Amino acid sequence: MYSLRITCGSESLWLHGPSVSAPVRGARRQPIPRALEGGRCEEQIDWLLEGTPASIQLALQTVERLLGRARAGAAVGLRLMPTAADTEWESRLLDGRAELLGSGTPERGRGSQAVRLLLTRGDYWQGSLTALPLSNPNGANVTDGLPLFNHCDSDALHANYADASGALGSLPAPAQVELIHDRTGPEPLGDVWLGAGLAPLPGGMLEGEAGATNLTTQVLSDATCSGGACRRVSWNTTAELDALHWELASGWLGQAGGRCFRPLLRFASPPAYSDVRLFVQVRTAASVLFESPAAALQPGVRLQELPPVLLPPWLPVVDAPAALTLALMARRAGGGSTALDVDFLALMPLQGWRRYASLAGLPYGARLIDDPQTGRCVVLHPQDGELAGHAAHGPGLELQPGQPQRFSALFATGSPAGMDIAAQVRLKVSYRPRRRTV
């Protein structure tokens, strides 16, 4: 190895390499760490100190203090550079101890001390923060923020997704997400939904005007809608009914692959009802295969989420199944004349996901940063500094080395009643490549 050190914040204790200073002479690392439970391993490092007894004692106190901080949960890292031509790799230290070798303390009086460090660390190494190249019809291999539209229709530029295939490393790595609001304004961004899945994923959205229904219906031209139109469905009953349904083709279901999706429903005009409940049903001509739990429609909200659905609703998916019907089911408890103007139903992949719930919104010119290393989600504004604009929900996103992935986003704009399909946001994804060995 070229160099090895323990770090905590701005403090570094060099164990080996050209930056060591007395009394440190160097270290030898055992090449194969001992595996432990819970995603941990034990690293054995023999450390040689030569100098005055006082300087050796100070070095031992320093390493024990850093290991104590690691034990207490501080961000202490073991950093290794395999060769002079490599970059530095870091593994989080969790615990450890120092044992004196040879005859122990008496050797210190002769100006040297051999120490065995037994360090408990995470069982992976991670590199420096790296931007992931993202592509869609608005740019190729973009690393400083790829523009995403707030819908996806027949216009190729209207892409609410980003594709990636160049993640480095050999292990899955958590993604740092940045959403940069500097393309369209001045309205702030409200709630944001971000989903990810391994490609291929079925593209596009289920347009309201492309759906079918047995209710009273009308296709309305509307330039503010995806595809330039929406479908109005109307009824006057308290019974449960099929408001709108779409056929999912065999190829579409084959790409979905039995994975989980979050339905997001956009209305051309925000509904005014507080007693309508909606759920998703998947069926064949002969039987119902799946029904999601019902969700209460939120009055005055244009973009609404429904409970997740597995498509197709079974595992494993060996071959592409025959076409299935996905239906938006509805019931209004109080009855009366009811009309919904459905723009689209989007199915967001949930192999990794976040929902950024708006607290104060993402102002124009600001960026949201969701950092898995610190667990913080903050909004940074060029004039106002750090703001608490959003709260992050969900397990987060992981990057899979060597595998193509797709990230999809939709977001509210302005008030909850707003969801401008022409709005844009730039997406930047960064990560620290992970490897089991270096």
Side-chain angles (χ1 to χ4, degrees), residues 82-124:
T83 71
D86 287 315
T87 58
E88 206 171 39
W89 292 80
E90 180 183 15
S91 186
R92 176 74 177 265
L93 280 183
L94 306 170
D95 201 350
R97 67 185 188 276
E99 297 179 349
L100 302 183
L101 300 179
S103 59
T105 305
E107 291 191 356
R108 202 173 305 169
R110 296 189 289 271
S112 68
Q113 185 80 71
V115 183
R116 176 159 292 167
L117 301 178
L118 298 171
L119 307 178
T120 303
R121 61 173 179 84
D123 64 351
Y124 60 85

Side-chain angles (χ1 to χ4, degrees), residues 193-206:
W193 288 262
L194 182 64
L198 295 179
L201 281 168
M205 296 174 171
L206 304 179

